[in-house]
Each structure stands twice: as C-alpha cells, then as structure tokens.
C-alpha cells in the first residue's frame, strides 16, 4: 500500500492507487480487454486482489458487450470470471429495479458463475459472485451452533467459499449483507453474524471490521442519541483493537484498502478518538469511498467534517 499525500481533493475512483487497474479501466471503457486480461491473469494466486480488480472492472464493463466479445474470442479463466461478474451485476440491478428481464438475467448469471467455477475450481471469486444473488431467494440453510439468533441463510454456499479461502474479505461482506434489514434480515441477526464471523478471524484480520459495518448499517438517526452509540465502551474498544492490530498490516496491501480504512476512521471519529482517526486518514491519502459516509448524509461533506475534527485539510470551494 502506498497512498499518496492529500493534495487538496478527494479521489473517489474505486481503483484507488492500484495504477494497473486504473489504467485498465480506461481501456475497458474504450471497449478493449487485452490489458484487463493481463491484469487479472497476474492475480490467479492472489484472491483478494482478484476479487478487487474483477469487481471494479465489472462495474466498468456492465453497460457494454465487451465481456461477451472477450469470452467468444478468448475463452479462459479471466474472460469467464468477468462474464460472471458482469452478469451478476446486471441481474442484481434488474431485480432491484423490478425489470421484467430480471429472471432471465438471473438465469444467465447463474450459468456464468457455474462456468467460471468449472474453469477455475480453486478460485473462490465465482462463488462469491453467486453469493451476491442469494438474497433474491432468501436461501435458508440452518445456522451453525454459536449464534444467539441462529439466523438461517446461505450457509452452505458460504461454507464452500471458506473451503477455498477461509478469510475471503468480499465473501464475508457479501454474506453479512444477506442479513441486513434492507435485504430482508434484521438488526439483531446482522449483529450476531458480524460478531460470529469477526471473532473467528485472526486478531490482525480485516474481518474484525465486520461489526463496525453492521453498526453503520443499523444506524437510525431518529433514535435517541443515535450518534453516541460509537462512544459506548464495546464499540470504542472494537475500533481501537482494529486500529492497533489490523492497521499496521494494511501497509502490506498491494492497493490501499480505502473502504476498510474509511469504516475504521469513521468509527474512531464517532468514538471521539481523533488522534487514532488522524493516522487512519493519513493512511488513506486522497482516496475516498461513498460508504460509510453516505449513511449519514452527503459523503463528501461527512468525510470533510470528520477530517476537520482530526485537524486535517479538506478540499476548498470548487
């Protein structure tokens, strides 16, 4: 990870400082896939980077026929994975918009995920893409022992992902999101699952952030003292433990983990630990993500407010 110094503006692009990915995004928008093929091929043994790059590239390619051309001209692990990623994005968008093509697009996406998994059976990414669609049908496998609410969900699919990569970041986040209230779950189930998953992860794992994600998801500004929740001892100690144990490991990432850093910085600011939050913002450099700030208002305004609380510069008037 090599975030640049803040130079007076935020960089919202999800590629952050993965310069290879940022360059490839330009090519994909222009309808070219050659460098995308190379950028993904080098991640075959780096699942976190593969998940990151394929997801960002899919968002760039979903509105064109690039992945279909790529698959027809050069079938292989990278083109089949990108077809799965793009097909899932299209299916989820159609479902959320209640598009009449939703069922057809979902069948295409399931086929694409199956094909990608068959081409690269050791790659968890196609299964993570498939997990994204679990909320469409509310899969209800029984929960394992150890959860207070025992919430049913896509546990078998998640278990298969863990068999391929026990600490897959996106897989854990996709699974947790199944239990969010906006997807038909409940606050208590989401907290229960987040605690269960984070506690089984190593102390220096990025998965220790999951409870903070669930906390933002459950935020309700109409509740009394809603903004003071992060000051409670359990949440303050959670944020500080992540700061001490995970943040030092982030320097070894091949790209700045902007979203994870943002959740940590937000929690520390809300817990009135501005000294620690300042270090997290410094690690982020100029890179920014919509979440968690957008859960509280305009993301740029909320981010600037948090940076000011830490005595850090913010963008000036346009």
């Amino acid at each position: 990870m090599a975030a640049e110094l803040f130079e007076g503006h935020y960089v919202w692009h999800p590629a952050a400082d993965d310069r290879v990915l940022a360059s490839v995004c330009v090519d994909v928008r222009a309808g070219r896939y050659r460098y995308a093929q190379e950028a993904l091929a080098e991640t075959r043994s780096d699942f976190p980077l593969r998940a990151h790059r394929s997801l960002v590239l899919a968002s760039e390619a979903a509105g064109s026929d690039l992945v279909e051309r790529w698959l027809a001209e050069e079938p292989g692990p990278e083109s089949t994975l990108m077809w799965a990623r793009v097909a899932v994005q299209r299916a989820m968008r159609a479902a959320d918009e209640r598009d009449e093509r939703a069922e057809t697009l979902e069948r295409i996406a399931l086929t694409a995920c199956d094909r990608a998994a068959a081409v690269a059976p050791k790659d968890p990414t196609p299964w993570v893409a498939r997990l994204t669609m679990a909320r469409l049908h509310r899969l209800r496998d029984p929960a394992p022992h150890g959860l207070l609410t025992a919430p049913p969900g896509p546990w078998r699919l998640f278990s298969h992902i863990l068999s391929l990569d026990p600490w897959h970041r996106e897989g854990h986040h996709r699974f947790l999101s199944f239990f969010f209230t906006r997807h038909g779950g409940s606050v208590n189930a989401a907290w229960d699952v987040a605690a269960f998953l984070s506690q089984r992860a190593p102390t220096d794992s990025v998965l220790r952030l999951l409870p903070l994600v669930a906390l933002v998801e459950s935020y309700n500004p109409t509740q009394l003292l809603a903004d003071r929740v992060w000051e409670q001892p359990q949440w303050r100690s959670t944020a500080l433990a992540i700061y001490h144990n995970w943040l030092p490991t982030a320097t070894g990432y091949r790209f700045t983990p902007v979203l994870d850093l943002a959740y940590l910085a937000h929690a520390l600011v809300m817990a009135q630990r501005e000294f620690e939050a300042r270090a997290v913002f410094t690690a982020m450099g100029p890179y920014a993500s919509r979440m968690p700030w957008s859960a509280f208002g305009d993301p740029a305004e909320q981010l600037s407010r948090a940076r000011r609380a830490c005595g850090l510069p913010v963008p000036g008037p346009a």
Side-chain angles (χ1 to χ4, degrees):
M1 184 182 77
E4 300 170 351
L5 293 176
F6 182 78
E7 295 181 347
H9 64 278
Y10 299 135
V11 178
W12 297 95
H13 197 287
D17 55 351
D18 184 341
R19 299 191 184 282
V20 170
L21 177 59
S23 175
V24 170
C25 284
V26 175
D27 267 17
V28 167
R29 286 195 294 272
R32 300 185 293 267
Y33 63 78
R34 173 66 55 206
Y35 292 113
Q37 166 86 23
E38 295 176 3
L40 285 177
E42 71 168 271
T43 69
R44 289 181 184 179
S45 60
D46 187 338
F47 295 143
L49 188 61
R50 190 169 183 81
H52 171 64
R53 285 185 175 177
S54 62
L55 187 61
V56 173
L57 290 175
S59 67
E60 299 285 358
S64 71
D65 67 347
L66 181 137
V67 294
E68 284 82 4
R69 289 191 290 105
W70 184 357
L71 186 65
E73 294 170 7
E74 292 195 33
E78 282 64 54
S79 57
T80 53
L81 174 60
M82 284 304 302
W83 183 42
R85 282 295 211 179
V86 165
V88 168
Q89 286 200 13
R90 291 170 179 166
M92 297 307 295
R93 186 181 302 122
D96 290 341
E97 296 174 354
R98 301 189 183 281
D99 191 307
E100 62 182 11
R101 302 169 299 164
E103 289 189 10
T104 299
L105 290 173
E106 183 187 356
R107 287 196 296 271
I108 292 172
L110 289 171
T111 298
C113 290
D114 288 345
R115 180 169 175 180
V119 170
K122 294 183 179 180
D123 183 1
T125 323
W127 297 98
V128 172
R130 189 185 186 108
L131 180 61
T132 307
M133 297 187 290
R135 66 178 170 87
L136 298 182
H137 302 291
R138 301 303 302 170
L139 298 180
R140 302 186 67 81
D141 307 328
H145 296 297
L147 287 95
L148 295 175
T149 60
W155 290 95
R156 280 197 289 267
L157 177 53
F158 183 55
S159 178
H160 182 69
I161 293 170
L162 299 187
S163 73
L164 298 172
D165 185 357
W167 314 119
H168 196 281
R169 181 204 172 277
E170 186 187 343
H172 280 75
H173 279 265
R174 295 289 183 193
F175 183 70
L176 175 60
S177 71
F178 177 91
F179 301 95
F180 290 165
T181 54
R182 60 189 164 97
H183 295 157
S186 70
V187 169
N188 286 339
W191 278 348
D192 198 10
V193 171
F196 176 77
L197 296 179
S198 67
Q199 288 167 8
R200 62 182 291 276
T203 57
D204 62 351
S205 170
V206 68
L207 300 179
R208 291 281 174 153
L209 280 157
L210 290 172
L212 299 183
V213 175
L215 186 59
V216 168
E217 188 66 27
S218 68
Y219 174 72
N220 181 353
T222 66
Q223 291 181 341
L224 184 65
L225 302 177
D227 289 344
R228 305 293 295 273
V229 172
W230 284 263
E231 296 177 35
Q232 295 176 5
Q234 72 179 94
W235 295 116
R236 181 175 284 169
S237 62
T238 295
L240 288 173
I242 296 166
Y243 169 82
H244 288 295
N245 296 319
W246 170 70
L247 183 62
T249 73
T251 58
Y253 282 49
R254 290 185 63 181
F255 60 93
T256 300
V258 179
L259 184 58
D260 298 315
L261 290 169
Y263 272 100
L264 178 55
H266 170 266
L268 290 168
V269 169
M270 296 292 279
Q272 297 188 359
R273 299 298 299 236
E274 288 84 0
F275 175 81
E276 291 85 356
R278 182 186 178 97
V280 180
F281 281 127
T282 300
M284 290 170 63
Y287 305 106
S289 62
R290 304 292 172 184
M291 286 294 285
W293 317 108
S294 61
F296 302 84
D298 177 82
E301 292 178 2
Q302 294 296 316
L303 174 56
S304 291
R305 180 182 177 185
R307 287 180 61 92
R308 285 193 198 97
C310 299
L312 291 169
V314 299

